Amino acid sequence: MNSFYTQPSAFEPDFVPDANLSDRVAETKVLVIGAGGLGCEILKNLVLSGFEQIHVIDMDTIDVTNLNRQSLFRDADVGKPKAQVAAEFVNTRVSKNVITAHYNRIQDKDEEFYRQFEIVVCGLDSLDARRWVSAMFVNMVDESDPSSLKPIIDGGTEGFKGQVRVILPTLNACHECASSMHSKKVTYPICTIANTPRLPEHCIEWASVVQWPKVHEGLKLDADNIEHMQWVYSTALKRADEHGISGITLSLAQGVVKNIIPAIASTNAIISASCVNEALKIVTGCHPYLNNYMLYVGDSSVYSHTFELEKKEDCLVCGNAKVTIEVSKTITLEELIEEIKINNSLQLKKPSLRTDKNLYMQAPPFLEVKSRPNLKKQLYELFESNSTLTVTDPSLMTSVSLTVTFTD
Amino acid sequence: MLKVWKMKKQQASDEKTKPRNSAAKIRIQKDISELDLPSSISITFPNEEDLLKFEVVIKPDEGYYKNGSFHFRFSISENYPHDPPKVQCTQTIYHPNIDLEGKVCLNILREDWKPVLNLNSVLIGLQFLFLEPNPDDPLNKEAASELRSNLQSFKRKVTRSMGGEYMDNVYYTKVTV
C-alpha cells in the first residue's frame, strides 16, 4: 500500500504524499456493522489493507446455510455468534488482536459507543438497519466539531446485483434522503390472492396471509419454524391444484414468506472489496473516493455506473429536517395538529409544538394544562406567517422544524 | 479523513448565519414532552417558556422518607445531552446521598450519565434514592454510617429531620406536609 501513500495522485491534486499514512490507517478505529456474507469479506480486506483497530457488531448466530460463502466460518461454528467467530478467526490468522467482536443488536449500543469510531463500513441485509445506522450517525454530528462526522460506507447485494454507497452524514445524502428509490416489498392485491390466483406466489400468500390467521387464531406465523412452513406449503399446494397452478415448493414458500434474497459469494466479494477500497481512500485521501453511489449489475451481462444521490432539503433525518406547510391563518392550533398528524411525510402520533414559546406540550401535566387553551386559538393569534415550529414526537428520533406559511 | 473534515468545517461556517434552535433545547423539549411519571413525581416551571430551568417535587409513597415532600432545582446546560442535568436539592435534608448543601450523589448524574439517558430516567433514579438510600456511595457520611450500623436510629433521625428541627446543630427543613 505504501507506494500509493508516497506518490502524488493524478486525480487528487490536494493529496500530500506521506510515508506515515500506513500508521494512520493502522490507528484508524473502524466499525464494521454486520458479520455475514459482506462482513466476512470486509473484515478480511480491512485487515489485509492495514487496518488494525477494527470492531465488528452482529446480532446473528451462524447457520449451516451461511457456510457456502461466509468464509470465516466452519462446520463446528454453527450456532455460535458470527461476530465472535469472525473476530477470532482473523485474530488467530494474523496472530494479532486486530478485531474486537460485539455480539449485539445495533440498537443495544448507544451514541457513546458509536462515537469512538472514525469510519463505519456496513454489510447489512435490511433497510431498517440501514435507516437506523444512518439516523444515528446524522444525529451524532456536532456542527462545531468536524471530527464528529463519521463516514459510512454501505454495501449491499442481491444475487448478481450490488451497490456501494458513501454517506457523509449531514454533508451528502443520508439513507433517508434517498429512501424513495427503494422498491417496496412485493405484495399481491388481496382480491387476487383470495379470488383469482394465477401464480404459485398467490397461493402461498393466500395460505400464509389469509388462511393461517383463520386456522391458527392468535398464533403468529414463524417462517423459521419448519412445521409452520410445512403447513403453509401443503395448504398452498392444495389451492394451487384446485386452480391448475404448478410450481409450489417448500423453498419457494419459505422465500415468499421470509422475503429471502439469494446471496452469491462472488457478488459479496466484489461489493465488499469496493467498500474497503473506499474506506482506504477516505482515510488516507490518496485518491478521490466514490461520490456517492455505485451500482453493480451482473445479471444483464456486466454493467456498472456511479452517480450522486442528492441530499434532500426536507429530509426528516439529516441536517435541517424541515417541512413547510401551508394553511389558513384562521384554523385553530388543534386543527393544525390534526393536519400534521395525517401528513404523510410526518406521520406523528403525539406531537408537541414550540416556537420559542410553548404552543402545545403533551406532557408534563403542568405544561399540558397551561398550553391547552392554545388549542382553541387561531394560528394568527399565536405566531406570524413563516414561523418555524420545533415539533417533537415519540415516533421521531429527533425533531422536525416545521415552517407554517399562511395562505391568507 | 482530512478532506471530509475540511468540507464539514466549510459547510458549518457557511450556515452559521442561520438561526437554529439549539440541540439542547430541541432535546429537552423532546424529553419533557415525553415524560411519563408516577404520581409521586411532579415538575413545574417558574417560567414556562424556559424549558431549561424547572423544579421537581418528589413525594415518596413508601420507605423511610414516606410523607415527605422533597424539592429539587434542575438546570439544563446548552451542552445537554452531552452533559447531564444539574440537580440541586433546595432543602436541608438528612439523607446518605444528599449533603446538607443539597448536592446529590446519583451515578447517572455524573459518572454513568450517557446521552441516551433522558430526563425521565434521571427523575426515576432520583426517586429511587428515597426508596433505597445507598450507604455505599455517601455524600452525608454520618447518615450513611448510621444507615449501615444502626437502622433503628437512622429511621428515627430521618423522621425527626423531616419534621423540621435541630439535630446535631443542623436545622433541617420541614418536609412533611
Side-chain angles (χ1 to χ4, degrees), chain A residues 160 296-304:
Chain A
F160 283 96
Y296 171 82
V297 187
D299 60 354
S300 52
S301 177
V302 179
Y303 171 78
S304 177

Side-chain angles (χ1 to χ4, degrees), chain A residues 21-79:
Chain A
L21 276 174
S22 49
D23 294 339
R24 175 78 176 84
V25 170
E27 288 160 10
T28 299
K29 230 173 165 181
V30 43
L31 175 67
V32 176
I33 305 182
L38 288 163
C40 282
E41 290 285 331
I42 290 168
L43 289 170
K44 176 203 72 181
N45 289 354
L46 282 172
V47 172
L48 295 180
S49 308
F51 286 92
E52 293 183 3
Q53 299 264 346
I54 304 164
H55 286 236
V56 59
I57 179 167
D58 195 305
M59 61 182 275
D60 248 348
T61 52
I62 298 162
D63 187 83
V64 69
T65 60
N66 301 146
L67 298 178
N68 71 332
R69 61 188 184 284
Q70 301 181 13
S71 55
L72 305 179
F73 309 144
R74 301 288 174 267
D75 285 334
D77 299 326
V78 170

Side-chain angles (χ1 to χ4, degrees), chain B residues 37-38 40-42 54-60 65 70-74 85-90 93 95 97-98 102-109 118-134:
Chain B
L37 297 171
S40 50
I41 306 177
S42 62
F54 48 89
E55 283 159 20
V56 168
V57 178
I58 295 181
K59 295 179 178 166
Y65 294 91
F70 300 94
H71 294 240
F72 294 88
R73 192 187 302 128
F74 274 63
K86 281 203 177 69
V87 181
Q88 168 94 22
C89 182
T90 57
I93 64 170
H95 190 292
N97 311 107
I98 299 172
K103 285 203 285 294
V104 180
C105 177
L106 177 63
N107 63 335
I108 55 170
L109 283 175
N118 58 24
L119 189 57
N120 217 71
S121 31
V122 168
L123 293 179
I124 299 293
L126 196 56
Q127 167 171 264
F128 187 70
L129 279 187
F130 289 96
L131 305 177
E132 300 265 339
N134 174 11

Side-chain angles (χ1 to χ4, degrees), chain A residues 244-261:
Chain A
I245 297 166
S246 61
I248 305 260
T249 61
L250 180 61
S251 68
L252 180 69
Q254 282 169 323
V256 170
V257 175
K258 265 182 111 166
N259 202 17
I260 291 179
I261 296 153

Side-chain angles (χ1 to χ4, degrees), chain B residues 6-172:
Chain B
K6 212 167 129 192
M7 283 160 63
K8 181 66 209 173
K9 223 170 162 178
Q10 183 64 43
Q11 183 209 40
S13 71
D14 287 351
E15 290 184 0
K16 224 164 225 163
T17 47
K18 262 193 225 164
R20 218 177 170 192
N21 215 343
S22 78
K25 282 190 184 133
I26 293 174
R27 172 59 194 268
I28 199 69
Q29 174 181 336
K30 183 168 174 63
D31 279 17
I32 287 173
S33 63
E34 289 165 27
L35 280 175
D36 184 14
L37 297 171
S39 57
S40 50
I41 306 177
S42 62
I43 166 170
T44 56
F45 295 77
N47 169 7
E48 64 196 74
E49 309 303 359
D50 181 3
L51 298 186
L52 299 179
K53 291 191 164 51
F54 48 89
E55 283 159 20
V56 168
V57 178
I58 295 181
K59 295 179 178 166
D61 49 13
E62 54 183 311
Y64 312 126
Y65 294 91
K66 193 179 167 181
N67 297 324
S69 173
F70 300 94
H71 294 240
F72 294 88
R73 192 187 302 128
F74 274 63
S75 78
I76 306 295
S77 81
E78 277 294 334
N79 215 12
Y80 188 76
H82 299 294
D83 292 349
K86 281 203 177 69
V87 181
Q88 168 94 22
C89 182
T90 57
Q91 301 154 320
T92 308
I93 64 170
Y94 183 76
H95 190 292
N97 311 107
I98 299 172
D99 72 12
L100 300 176
E101 290 159 18
K103 285 203 285 294
V104 180
C105 177
L106 177 63
N107 63 335
I108 55 170
L109 283 175
R110 288 184 69 85
E111 70 275 15
D112 291 334
W113 170 257
K114 292 173 187 172
V116 280
L117 292 172
N118 58 24
L119 189 57
N120 217 71
S121 31
V122 168
L123 293 179
I124 299 293
L126 196 56
Q127 167 171 264
F128 187 70
L129 279 187
F130 289 96
L131 305 177
E132 300 265 339
N134 174 11
D136 300 326
D137 207 5
L139 260 189
N140 181 336
K141 285 196 185 121
E142 194 277 320
S145 72
E146 199 80 10
L147 170 59
R148 212 180 296 118
S149 61
N150 190 343
L151 187 58
Q152 286 314 317
S153 157
F154 175 76
K155 282 184 188 169
R156 272 198 305 278
K157 284 192 167 181
V158 168
T159 311
R160 272 182 63 194
S161 69
M162 284 170 59
E165 64 173 271
Y166 276 100
M167 232 166 45
D168 304 328
N169 292 327
V170 177
Y171 182 74
Y172 289 93

Side-chain angles (χ1 to χ4, degrees), chain A residues 48-119:
Chain A
L48 295 180
S49 308
F51 286 92
E52 293 183 3
Q53 299 264 346
I54 304 164
H55 286 236
V56 59
I57 179 167
D58 195 305
M59 61 182 275
D60 248 348
T61 52
I62 298 162
D63 187 83
V64 69
T65 60
N66 301 146
L67 298 178
N68 71 332
R69 61 188 184 284
Q70 301 181 13
S71 55
L72 305 179
F73 309 144
R74 301 288 174 267
D75 285 334
D77 299 326
V78 170
K80 292 184 193 163
K82 288 184 176 179
Q84 285 169 10
V85 174
E88 268 166 41
F89 187 102
V90 175
N91 289 341
T92 308
R93 177 71 178 73
V94 299
S95 313
K96 215 179 195 180
N97 244 353
V98 291
I99 304 184
T100 309
H102 302 272
Y103 174 38
N104 286 109
R105 282 158 36 92
I106 48 173
Q107 292 87 349
D108 292 341
K109 296 286 187 184
D110 60 16
E111 209 179 298
E112 201 141 307
F113 172 79
Y114 290 109
R115 204 179 304 130
Q116 65 180 304
F117 301 102
E118 264 188 57
I119 189 165

